[in-house]
Amino acid sequence: MAEQSQPRIIETAASMRAEVRRLQREGLRVGLVPTMGALHDGHLSLVRMAQKSCDRVVTTIFVNPTQFGPQEDFSRYPRTLERDLQLLREAGCQYVFVPSKDEVYPPGYSTEVDPPAVAKRWEGECRPGHFRGVCTVVLKLFNMIPADVAVFGQKDFQQAAVLQQMARDLNVGMQIKIGPTIREVDGLAMSSRNRYLSPEERQRALSLSQSLNAAQAAVAAGEKRAVTLAAMIGETLQPQVDHIDYVAIADAETLEPVDAIGPNTVILLAVKIGKTRLIDNCLLSPTRHE
Ligand code: AMP
């Protein structure tokens, strides 16, 4: 593989914005991939997606404190900056924005984004304040990095829906793209939090993708009732996980629950295995064939 040069690390909003504007004046398109670091192939797939339609890509690494609840894993969230930079270099990403907490939340800051209705259920109920923190930080990143395109992952399905709606509602002039969920070979959706899992917990975590696959197969075989599918999923998850936060079968746009599988239905799962909270999802279609 050709040796890529080290991405340029930028720490301040002022220099980041100036650099993006300079690139755009040269006629270059800029892509933005927001992350919290501890990068894996899922994140890198978003970088590659941005590269398809952009000349330069900015990846941001910021573990955003405002999207973590008081009982959540902010302080132990994995921070692996050196390795992240190496992976971004190999992926050919040109810029990494690594702001300090004060750069993002200057002293005296008090404005927040009230998330859209699609944030209300599921993650919104289990993690009060989470989407307020996500919307606020992402809108800040949009303002600090006025890119042409921003890319997010389907792995965080509700987050992607919330951010697309926020971008529409608040006239963000940036194209929002959603990249597919990247999985380990055994089906586990890649996540920075997977590294918390012991080998035994990791084995049990396969029940998420297995239950989604079983539901997809049942739908392909003609099952349309959400209640039946939710029960099936629950039966697969129950013996393996320590807590089920929710099994949602919902309209993929509004995320409101549905009774029957339609042309645009999503299954969303959130569980706890040991101390680790994991989410996964899949889109369904009654005409889908495996
Ligand atoms: P995070 O660093 O976990 O906040 O994630 C940063 C971005 O990467 C978000 O848009 C996530 O949805 C996306 N992402 C995380 N895991 C995956 C995955 N397995 N496949 C695709 N995108 C992902």
Side-chain angles (χ1 to χ4, degrees), residues 53-70:
S53 63
C54 296
D55 306 290
R56 300 286 185 273
V57 175
V58 181
T59 299
T60 71
I61 297 180
F62 180 64
V63 185
N64 174 37
T66 68
Q67 71 188 71
F68 288 80

Side-chain angles (χ1 to χ4, degrees), residues 34-37 40 42-43 45-46 77 151-156 159 179-182 189-192:
T35 82
M36 298 204 298
H40 49 66
H43 299 113
S45 74
L46 305 183
Y77 196 82
V151 187
F152 298 92
Q154 190 197 315
K155 161 75 185 357
D156 297 271
Q159 171 176 281
T181 302
I182 305 300
M190 289 189 185
S191 164
S192 305

